[in-house]
Amino acid sequence: QVQLVESGGGLVQAGGSLRLSCAVSGTFFNINAMGWFRQAPGKQRDLVAVIANSGSIDYADSVKGRFTISRDNAKNMCDLQMNSLKSEDTAVYYCYVNYLSKAYWGQGTQVTVSS
C-alpha cells in the first residue's frame, strides 16, 4: 500500500508563491512517476506537472515557467514550487504517484489565489 499526504496549500495574493509538498509512505520500491494534478470547482482533474523516476518532467502549458516540480527519492517526497500565482490557479491540488501501473492519490490541499 502507498499513502500520500500533501501539505503547503493556503491563501495567497496574485503574484505570490506557495510550495506544496507530498510525503509518500507505505510499502513500495522504485516509484515510477510522481506528480501533481488540480481540480477547480465544476471542472475535471487536470495534470499540473509530473516527474518520472528517470527525471524527465512534463508541465501543463498553463504553468510552464511559473511552477517547478522536484522529487527526493531518498525521502520519498515530491514538491511543487508555484510562483507568479494567478487567480486561475485556484483549485484543490492532489499529489499523484504511479506505482506498478496503479495510481495513488493524496487527499488534496486547497490553493486559493486572490486577485
Side-chain angles (χ1 to χ4, degrees):
Q1 290 293 330
V2 178
Q3 295 86 40
L4 288 69
V5 176
E6 303 104 333
S7 60
L11 173 65
V12 65
Q13 288 188 333
S17 298
L18 281 175
R19 187 177 185 88
L20 304 182
S21 293
C22 176
V24 185
S25 62
T27 304
F28 53 85
F29 174 76
N30 196 24
I31 291 175
N32 298 332
M34 303 179 74
W36 293 88
F37 284 68
R38 67 186 180 187
Q39 187 168 18
K43 296 188 176 182
Q44 67 182 18
R45 189 175 298 187
D46 290 327
L47 172 72
V48 176
V50 63
I51 180 168
N53 196 31
S54 64
S56 65
I57 294 173
D58 284 317
Y59 292 103
D61 288 342
S62 59
V63 307
K64 285 181 180 177
R66 301 188 297 123
F67 291 11
T68 303
I69 190 171
S70 61
R71 66 187 281 177
D72 186 329
N73 291 330
K75 296 181 179 179
N76 297 317
M77 294 195 68
C78 180
D79 290 351
L80 184 69
Q81 178 66 41
M82 305 185 294
N83 299 328
S84 303
L85 283 161
K86 305 175 181 180
S87 57
E88 51 263 44
D89 294 319
T90 294
V92 177
Y93 284 69
Y94 296 91
C95 182
Y96 157 86
V97 159
N98 182 296
Y99 179 62
L100 297 180
S101 300
K102 183 176 179 179
Y104 295 86
W105 299 94
Q107 80 284 358
T109 184
Q110 177 70 46
V111 172
T112 303
V113 184
S114 63
S115 57

